[in-house]
Amino acid sequence: MRKFLILIMLVVLFVLNLPAAFGQSEVRARVIAYELNLRDSYHDESQIVGMLSVNTEVVVLAREDEPGNGGIWMQVRTLDGGASGWVLSVYLEFAPDFILQSIPVVNIAAPAQNLTTENAGAEQPVQQQSAAPVATGQGISGSTRAIVNLRGGPGTNFDVISTVQAGQTVVFVGRNQSSTWLQTLVSGGTMGWLSYTFVNVDGNVTNLPVVGAGAPLPQTQTTTAEQAPQNTQANAMPGVIPSISGTARQIYLRGQQLGNNAGVFAKIGDSITASNLFLNPVGFGGARLNEYAYLQPVIDFFSQTSARDHFSFANTSLAARGGWTSFDVLDPQRAVPGICNYGESPLVCEYRNNRPSVALIMLGTNDLNWVNGTDYRANLERIVQTSIDMGVIPVLSTIPDQPLSYAAGRVSEFNGIIMAVAAQYDIPLWNYWSALQGLPNRGLSGDSVHPSYDSSTAETAIFDANGLRFGYNVRNLTALMVLDAVWRGAMY
């Protein structure tokens, strides 16, 4: 009998230590942001206690499950134990077989709901009911990236219909307005909703019909006569985010043949582009997507391949400087010595050094005072043609208003030229001007030239109701939307 009890004890000890025996006693992850803040709690407002660089391997200790704090936070420590703290899980890369539920939940500050891989802070349902019916014969195929709950509506407060396994093929037939949740048909004919963050979509989600309520996209129409010039050409501008044509796809494929980096984009422009407020916070892990969680995959995609000195979001452009006109970016005398070749323009130098697949281009704010429309268009066409020749998809952005400038009336003229060149070359148009029209002071700072931002925090990658009152926050959000459209529409 004694030997039998000893045998039972040995078996129990073996089972308890089985994970360790197979090297699974701890979950590890890799940092994919260029620099990631370690915080003492699971909120962006908490104290920064350290910094993790890209590719740092960490041990995941715990997770939280508090709704509405920007995502799923993980408590981690470095392998040497030298640093520990909380980070957002979207900036970590896990093993393919990682299961979220294997991480213990600690410090829950609100009653826990179902433990799922869905982002917290999703939309609140009007009532607990099934998904609305949609037209048959429409849909985009895709697959799940993790084990995820299929819900009765677009949010974590809707009832769970079933659990969908990682890697399962599904068909998306609709979306909510912000595209953070997708109405999905799974095997067996079951219909429900999946969080966009945890699926792969074989196409552009904006082509799906909107069948659920959600947060509105940035304002794309003028609101009052006082907020925008009464100009037929200006008021006829299309929406902020472009549709992607086959031309962009062909440019991308040519670029791949030339050796361009699919995961790199370039920033071309003047001080509005060269500013550290433009996309840099995204590159340093400071994005708070809130209702725009569907943009996380495009952030991840362009945060894997390093450009010249950082990943694309925070890379220092060789073709963006304060005060530059459309001519300056083509002028070899403006190129950086020691980095650019003799006789090479800043534009070509930037493309040669970084081999991007996409370029976000906004020039014209400084041209208004010095350059006539004919020369401006000629310069813009040279920039576009050079980009195409080098296999880079050029995305042209309209420019903001300048209400206090004597050249204020020319903004509409120059934006008309930008639109015309984009149409002529069949390339993406980013209508930033239109996105600013519903904002205080048309999204401009006190100088009525540069975009506004919250001077108390200088946080321009926070995309909530307060943040999106400022011009730079809207610029960063719409830049991500444009990159997402190009990525899904031309780079598949």
Side-chain angles (χ1 to χ4, degrees):
M1 184 68 179
R2 183 178 179 183
K3 290 182 179 179
F4 178 77
L5 290 175
I6 293 175
L7 179 61
I8 293 296
M9 291 176 64
L10 289 174
V11 170
V12 170
L13 287 172
F14 175 78
V15 170
L16 290 176
N17 288 278
L18 191 60
F22 285 88
Q24 298 175 349
S25 59
E26 61 183 24
V27 174
R28 294 189 180 185
R30 182 178 67 87
V31 175
I32 60 175
Y34 189 80
E35 291 180 339
L36 182 60
N37 289 331
L38 274 172
R39 297 182 180 273
D40 64 358
S41 184
Y42 46 83
H43 293 276
D44 279 333
E45 296 80 9
S46 58
Q47 185 70 34
I48 297 175
V49 296
M51 182 83 70
L52 299 177
S53 59
V54 66
N55 292 326
T56 299
E57 193 172 5
V58 297
V59 177
V60 180
L61 306 173
R63 64 185 171 96
E64 56 76 36
D65 195 43
E66 178 183 323
N69 65 348
I72 299 174
W73 290 75
M74 299 284 189
Q75 189 180 37
V76 303
R77 65 168 172 81
T78 55
L79 297 186
D80 61 5
S84 63
W86 290 88
V87 299
L88 273 170
S89 61
V90 293
Y91 299 115
L92 299 176
E93 181 182 67
F94 297 89
D97 58 351
F98 165 70
I99 299 175
L100 181 69
Q101 287 85 345
S102 66
I103 306 299
V105 178
V106 299
N107 295 337
I108 300 178
Q113 300 179 29
N114 293 322
L115 301 183
T116 74
T117 55
E118 300 157 346
N119 272 356
E123 299 158 15
Q124 302 300 311
V126 177
Q127 56 184 345
Q128 299 292 324
Q129 61 182 14
S130 307
V134 299
T136 58
Q138 300 178 357
I140 299 175
S141 62
S143 60
T144 53
R145 301 170 58 196
I147 299 175
V148 61
N149 284 338
L150 183 74
R151 293 184 176 271
T156 55
N157 284 349
F158 282 97
D159 291 337
V160 176
I161 298 173
S162 65
T163 300
V164 184
Q165 296 301 309
Q168 182 168 330
T169 300
V170 295
V171 176
F172 306 108
V173 295
R175 64 184 175 93
N176 61 1
Q177 177 122 6
S178 60
S179 299
T180 52
W181 289 80
L182 301 181
Q183 191 178 43
T184 309
L185 182 66
V186 299
S187 60
T190 304
M191 183 81 76
W193 292 79
L194 295 179
S195 168
Y196 182 95
T197 304
F198 296 97
V199 299
N200 298 311
V201 184
D202 301 331
N204 190 340
V205 293
T206 59
N207 292 331
L208 294 171
V210 176
V211 293
L217 295 178
Q219 182 73 22
T220 61
Q221 303 293 330
T222 45
T223 54
T224 68
E226 291 75 23
Q227 287 179 317
Q230 290 304 298
N231 181 285
T232 303
Q233 184 183 47
N235 292 334
M237 287 186 175
V240 177
I241 310 306
S243 57
I244 307 301
S245 71
T247 300
R249 172 69 173 166
Q250 294 304 313
I251 297 171
Y252 168 73
L253 292 176
R254 171 173 168 75
Q256 293 305 288
Q257 293 175 344
L258 295 174
N260 290 352
N261 295 311
V264 173
F265 68 87
K267 298 176 286 187
I268 313 297
D270 50 36
S271 58
I272 297 176
T273 296
S275 171
N276 287 332
L277 299 173
F278 178 52
L279 292 180
N280 279 41
V282 177
F284 290 122
R288 291 175 60 187
L289 297 177
N290 296 295
E291 297 295 338
Y292 303 96
Y294 78 95
L295 295 170
Q296 188 58 54
V298 79
I299 294 176
D300 296 342
F301 179 77
F302 285 108
S303 297
Q304 298 179 38
T305 305
S306 181
R308 191 174 59 85
D309 58 14
H310 288 284
F311 295 125
S312 299
F313 294 105
N315 185 56
T316 305
S317 175
L318 299 170
R321 293 289 184 278
W324 270 14
T325 66
S326 59
F327 176 76
D328 291 311
V329 77
L330 298 168
D331 184 6
Q333 296 188 43
R334 298 289 189 180
V336 179
I339 299 178
C340 302
N341 295 333
Y342 177 78
E344 190 175 53
S345 70
L347 180 68
V348 172
C349 182
E350 169 72 8
Y351 289 169
R352 179 180 59 81
N353 274 275
N354 294 307
R355 312 296 300 184
S357 58
V358 183
L360 303 179
I361 303 169
M362 189 176 82
L363 288 159
T365 294
N366 298 300
D367 295 72
L368 293 173
N369 299 311
W370 314 104
V371 182
N372 63 55
T374 301
D375 289 342
Y376 174 69
R377 177 163 186 155
N379 292 339
L380 208 57
E381 289 180 354
R382 282 184 60 194
I383 292 168
V384 169
Q385 190 60 60
T386 299
S387 303
I388 294 174
D389 291 345
M390 298 185 71
V392 180
I393 301 172
V395 177
L396 293 185
S397 170
T398 53
I399 61 175
D401 286 310
Q402 287 194 34
L404 301 184
S405 170
Y406 72 87
R410 302 194 70 199
V411 171
S412 181
E413 172 196 351
F414 273 50
N415 278 338
I417 292 172
I418 293 169
M419 294 168 62
V421 171
Q424 174 186 342
Y425 286 86
D426 193 24
I427 58 175
L429 173 70
W430 171 16
N431 200 342
Y432 178 51
W433 176 92
S434 184
L436 295 175
Q437 298 309 299
L439 305 185
N441 195 36
R442 303 181 204 171
L444 300 174
S445 61
D447 65 4
S448 290
V449 174
H450 297 88
S452 57
Y453 64 96
D454 187 346
S455 59
S456 65
T457 64
E459 295 282 359
T460 58
I462 297 178
F463 307 134
D464 57 14
N466 179 66
L468 293 177
R469 295 184 300 113
F470 299 99
Y472 258 120
N473 296 61
V474 169
R475 185 163 194 233
N476 287 334
L477 175 60
T478 54
L480 291 176
M481 290 177 167
V482 168
L483 286 169
D484 184 73
V486 173
W487 175 45
R488 298 181 185 280
M491 300 169 61
Y492 53 87

